Amino acid sequence: MARTAVVAADPATDIPATLLLQKVLPVSEPVTVDIPHKLGKAEARRRVEQGFGKLADFIPGGSVTQHAWTGDSLSFTVEGMGQRIAARLDIAEDKVHAVVDLPPFLALFADKIRGKLAKEGPRLLE
């Protein structure tokens, strides 16, 4: 099921810009990757806490601008290339489940980002 991006309305008419363009911008499905580990939940969480900022390096000029823990899930925002990317890391006993919501501009790179996260993600836990 496709989702759609919310785009600001034309202030003069209050008609959403997507309707003005007569086109709805698709929003990609989230990029998801499981990063297996044998650290246990507490140690994995500690290492994620220390290293999650490295994920901003996936986006040229990227930096983490917000982050918050809810239980064993870390939600954070990366901003770079004029884009804002929401991500979540769910810490489990034997894996870290990463979910990255890409804006339409970066959706073209979803497979590359998924591959890089799968390859480089284990370094997050080193």
Side-chain angles (χ1 to χ4, degrees), residues 15-25:
I15 297 173
T18 52
L19 293 179
L20 292 173
L21 295 173
Q22 297 183 5
K23 177 179 175 182
V24 177
L25 300 174

Side-chain angles (χ1 to χ4, degrees), residues 2-40:
R3 299 179 310 165
T4 57
V6 177
V7 181
D10 178 344
T13 62
D14 203 31
I15 297 173
T18 52
L19 293 179
L20 292 173
L21 295 173
Q22 297 183 5
K23 177 179 175 182
V24 177
L25 300 174
V27 175
S28 66
E29 291 299 315
V31 170
T32 61
V33 174
D34 285 331
I35 304 165
H37 66 80
K38 296 180 181 180
L39 301 170

Side-chain angles (χ1 to χ4, degrees), residues 6-116:
V6 177
V7 181
D10 178 344
T13 62
D14 203 31
I15 297 173
T18 52
L19 293 179
L20 292 173
L21 295 173
Q22 297 183 5
K23 177 179 175 182
V24 177
L25 300 174
V27 175
S28 66
E29 291 299 315
V31 170
T32 61
V33 174
D34 285 331
I35 304 165
H37 66 80
K38 296 180 181 180
L39 301 170
K41 188 186 283 189
E43 180 62 14
R45 180 183 166 126
R46 185 187 72 75
R47 292 185 186 192
V48 165
E49 177 70 40
Q50 290 179 341
F52 77 94
K54 295 175 192 173
L55 294 175
D57 296 339
F58 285 20
I59 306 299
S63 64
V64 174
T65 57
Q66 298 174 342
H67 72 280
W69 284 94
T70 304
D72 291 317
S73 294
L74 173 64
S75 298
F76 60 99
T77 302
V78 174
E79 293 186 28
M81 295 178 49
Q83 303 293 306
R84 179 176 286 179
I85 301 148
R88 187 180 77 243
L89 300 175
D90 299 320
I91 314 302
E93 195 65 34
D94 61 347
K95 68 181 175 184
V96 174
H97 180 71
V99 179
V100 181
D101 289 316
L102 297 174
F105 176 75
L106 294 176
L108 298 170
F109 305 104
D111 288 337
K112 287 186 179 191
I113 291 171
R114 183 180 294 107
K116 188 166 184 175

